[in-house]
Amino acid sequence: MKFKNPQTLQQIALLLEVDFIGKTDFEILGINEIHVVEKGDIVFVDHPKYYDKALNSAATTILINKKVDCPVGKSLLISEDPFRDFNKITKHFNPFIASKVSISESAIIGEGTIIQPNVFIGNNVIIGKHCVIHPNVAIYDHSIIGNNVTIHANTVLGADAFYYKNRPEGFDKLISGGRVVLEDNVDLGASCTIDKGVTGDTTIGEGTKIDNQVHVGHDTIIGKKCLIASQTGIAGCVIIEDEVTIWGQVGTNSGITIGKGAIILGQTGVTKSVAGGKSYFGTPISESRVKLKELAEIKQMIKERKNS
């Protein structure tokens, strides 16, 4: 999430009421999660296990819960609770603004686009030309939709990420300040749920077609010309490269990559990253020809045992 205007280290420290290490005028351009940080971003870290990863990331300001040596060219914000203060930054620079109308006046809707009854379109949404948005679709704030996109009934774009910190008093939600981006010629079936990014974009690439009742988690990137069948659940921070086919009732772990042209057969559990150009099946996942051979061998062993 980028700020509308650059901030200084001192300005952010005053907002959070925390100490800092670095020049008062050190420039800060936004906040991001560790896997998508860029120069100018703040990243937060609250566990010693991940200190080195955060300090050595592309982020140039680290919101951290311990005073440590500051890397050259970077700055630190010293917080008792980085998770809480990361939320505070999100709420300050991207506050929730309640809508009073079904279609926001700030939404931009392209020529030839059809909006069916009972559609909700939030603030600062951009929808391209010649789209069809069917009844009861909800498009949350800041979503971006390309040209020639079809979205079927009851689909939701931009719900919050499923991201919580377990505290003694209960689960504390990390506030989502990202967006959903659909590129040109995307089709979404009925009752799909596409969560917004925590700080970045959940993206569905050009020409991808998604069946009914598919869930796509926060910050996931789906490539071009993919096919994803019904009841698939894709976790957060997944990368699905171009021309991947995923059949029904597949589930994935978070943070994995599915390579270009891969085929994931139905009811597979994608527990790890897999290379492109191959077919996969089963849980734990393996190449389909290997898995099917293993199942045949097990079946034969059972048959022989019964006959012995």
Side-chain angles (χ1 to χ4, degrees):
M1 186 184 82
K2 300 300 183 185
F3 303 144
K4 290 182 179 179
N5 299 299
Q7 303 293 307
T8 67
L9 181 63
Q10 186 175 48
Q11 286 174 316
I12 300 297
L14 287 171
L15 169 67
L16 302 180
E17 300 179 318
V18 300
D19 293 331
F20 63 90
I21 298 173
K23 296 180 179 179
T24 57
D25 61 351
F26 190 90
E27 187 176 63
I28 299 175
L29 304 178
I31 61 174
N32 257 321
E33 289 188 277
I34 189 70
H35 62 286
V36 288
V37 287
E38 301 173 339
K39 183 179 179 181
D41 287 341
I42 296 173
V43 69
F44 85 91
V45 60
D46 57 5
H47 194 289
K49 181 179 177 180
Y50 302 109
Y51 284 174
D52 286 344
K53 184 176 181 180
L55 291 165
N56 295 316
S57 71
T60 41
T61 300
I62 296 85
L63 179 62
I64 190 169
N65 58 343
K66 181 181 178 181
K67 285 188 177 182
V68 296
D69 292 336
C70 183
V72 175
K74 299 192 178 188
S75 64
L76 303 179
L77 292 159
I78 313 301
S79 166
E80 292 181 357
D81 191 334
F83 188 100
R84 175 203 65 200
D85 285 338
F86 199 75
N87 274 344
K88 191 172 183 178
I89 295 171
T90 300
K91 286 191 286 187
H92 180 82
F93 289 101
N94 188 18
F96 173 71
I97 300 173
S99 182
K100 298 179 181 179
V101 293
S102 295
I103 300 177
S104 171
E105 294 178 358
S106 62
I108 298 172
I109 300 173
E111 177 185 358
T113 285
I114 298 170
I115 308 294
Q116 297 273 58
N118 299 323
V119 169
F120 172 78
I121 300 174
N123 300 306
N124 303 306
V125 168
I126 299 174
I127 302 176
K129 299 178 181 179
H130 307 297
C131 298
V132 180
I133 315 297
H134 286 283
N136 302 316
V137 168
I139 304 173
Y140 286 32
D141 295 356
H142 309 294
S143 296
I144 297 178
I145 297 170
N147 301 317
N148 303 306
V149 170
T150 299
I151 304 175
H152 284 280
N154 302 314
T155 283
V156 177
L157 303 187
D160 286 346
F162 190 72
Y163 194 139
Y164 294 85
K165 184 179 181 65
N166 190 3
R167 299 188 187 273
E169 63 274 18
F171 292 107
D172 190 6
K173 182 164 72 173
L174 188 64
I175 295 171
S176 300
R179 308 180 301 181
V180 170
V181 177
L182 306 185
E183 296 182 354
D184 295 347
N185 303 307
V186 167
D187 290 353
L188 298 182
S191 300
C192 294
T193 50
I194 317 297
D195 288 351
K196 72 179 76 171
V198 170
T199 55
D201 296 336
T202 301
T203 304
I204 299 177
E206 181 178 356
T208 285
K209 313 298 182 184
I210 296 181
D211 196 3
N212 305 325
Q213 298 177 331
V214 170
H215 173 73
V216 179
H218 69 90
D219 295 286
T220 282
I221 298 173
I222 299 175
K224 302 178 189 300
K225 292 182 65 179
C226 295
L227 287 174
I228 302 176
S230 178
Q231 297 183 353
T232 289
I234 300 169
C237 305
V238 171
I239 297 174
I240 298 174
E241 296 182 350
D242 297 345
E243 301 174 15
V244 168
T245 299
I246 300 177
W247 294 117
Q249 296 186 334
V250 167
T252 81
N253 282 11
S254 63
I256 64 165
T257 297
I258 300 176
K260 180 178 179 179
I263 298 172
I264 312 296
L265 300 184
Q267 297 190 330
T268 293
V270 189
T271 52
K272 61 182 180 181
S273 295
V274 293
K278 298 178 181 180
S279 176
Y280 298 92
F281 175 63
T283 305
I285 190 171
S286 60
E287 285 189 57
S288 57
R289 59 186 177 84
V290 174
K291 181 66 73 173
L292 293 171
K293 184 179 178 181
E294 289 172 351
L295 292 173
E297 289 174 349
I298 292 170
K299 186 176 181 180
Q300 182 63 29
M301 288 171 61
I302 294 171
K303 183 178 179 180
E304 290 173 356
R305 180 176 293 180
K306 287 181 177 179
N307 294 334
S308 61

